[in-house]
Amino acid sequence: MFEPPNTGIYRAMTRRQILLALLPPLFFGTGFTIAKPAVTHFPPLFMMLMVYGGIAVVLSLTHRDKLKTPFLSIIAIAAFAVTIQGALLFWGLRNQAMPATAANLILQIQIPFAVLLDWLIMKERLDGRKLLGTAIAILGVGLVIGLPEQAPGLVPSVMIIVSAFCWALGQVLARKLGKDSGVGLLKANAFGSVPQLALATLAIEQGQWQSLVTADAMQWAALAFVGIVGFYLAYMCWFTLLKQCRLDEAGPFLLLMPAVGIVTAALVLGESVSLAQLAGGAVILFGLAIVSGLSLPRVRPA
């Protein structure tokens, strides 16, 4: 049963929070797109192991506060937000049948997933508007997959959609179970994911050493950019924002990610953007705007 409309007194996001909210889509959008050449060379789980291993080392030196989030909660959050999500996402992106532009658009289904999971787990309000927006966003994903002259492959598309669901679940679990600050949550994710990623890459992947010794300067540069910008800076800002705002407040700002990703893919990777992708992306963004109430400014309870 849906909850009645909220009639309480609210206060809007502060200017600092709004400026902070603009950074994650910028970092995610560029980092995710630049990840295409990196993940094409390095095995996906091994690449993430290097990224989160580096983050764990850096935060061990710069953020010495003891983690407050329980160990089992850290393992659960990291499993969905990092290991499972990242494996599916980068395996899908690695596929030659998945352009970075299309992947960036399909990935935005994570926002309605997050809103729905926030309702189920965190008991946030849900209404017909959000259900309608979810349906429209899913339709947009269908357009992106089915209409382009070179449609992205079905298997990598499904992998990215499931990855988006796992990411959304991980963010909701971080809100519910996380006891640390934004920086602490990133550190907890790094600590929890490194052993998971190490076991997963040893069990599933091969060619890790070969990828290290054969990588050229461009591939190392792409890996460094993904690690520093697409993960470290992006999640530092995102988790800090998530500790201050609800998902239905923070989520709408991620709608900027496709625009950033499309521009980056065109300028850096030389990918073309079809009219069908633009149409599907517009439908996705329209549905996500409805889900997030972008046209109806939301404010937080005082």
Side-chain angles (χ1 to χ4, degrees), residues 16-29:
R16 184 174 181 274
Q17 289 171 337
I18 293 173
L19 292 175
L20 177 64
L22 293 173
L23 296 179
L26 174 63
F27 295 148
F28 281 135

Side-chain angles (χ1 to χ4, degrees), residues 58-79:
V58 170
L59 291 183
S60 294
L61 299 174
T62 59
H63 185 75
R64 297 179 178 274
D65 294 346
K66 184 178 180 180
L67 294 177
K68 301 176 184 178
T69 304
F71 175 74
L72 292 180
S73 297
I74 291 176
I75 296 300
I77 295 169

Side-chain angles (χ1 to χ4, degrees), residues 140 143-144 147 274-284:
L143 293 175
V144 171
L147 285 185
S274 69
L275 291 177
Q277 285 177 323
L278 292 176
V283 173
I284 291 174

Side-chain angles (χ1 to χ4, degrees), residues 146-171:
L147 285 185
E149 293 81 359
Q150 294 182 340
L154 178 60
V155 172
S157 296
V158 171
M159 294 175 74
I160 291 176
I161 291 172
V162 177
S163 166
F165 177 85
C166 292
W167 182 89
L169 179 57
Q171 308 316 302

Side-chain angles (χ1 to χ4, degrees), residues 1 19 46 65-66 97 127-128 161 174 182-183 186-187 217 227 233 243 254 263 278 298:
M1 180 179 296
L19 292 175
F46 181 60
D65 294 346
K66 184 178 180 180
D127 54 28
I161 291 172
V183 179
L186 178 57
K187 181 179 178 181
L233 294 178
K243 295 300 291 185
L254 293 181
V263 172
L278 292 176
R298 298 296 301 274

Side-chain angles (χ1 to χ4, degrees), residues 209-286:
W209 177 250
Q210 289 83 349
S211 70
L212 292 177
V213 298
T214 59
D216 58 27
M218 184 63 67
Q219 290 158 343
W220 281 115
L223 176 62
F225 187 90
V226 171
I228 296 172
V229 177
F231 281 86
Y232 181 78
L233 294 178
Y235 277 109
M236 184 80 72
C237 297
W238 174 252
F239 283 133
T240 301
L241 182 67
L242 209 60
K243 295 300 291 185
Q244 301 177 25
C245 305
R246 298 195 311 268
L247 272 172
D248 60 354
E249 293 175 322
F253 290 90
L254 293 181
L255 301 181
L256 297 171
M257 182 178 166
V260 174
I262 289 174
V263 172
T264 305
L267 295 178
V268 179
L269 303 182
E271 292 186 1
S272 60
V273 181
S274 69
L275 291 177
Q277 285 177 323
L278 292 176
V283 173
I284 291 174
L285 295 180
F286 178 64

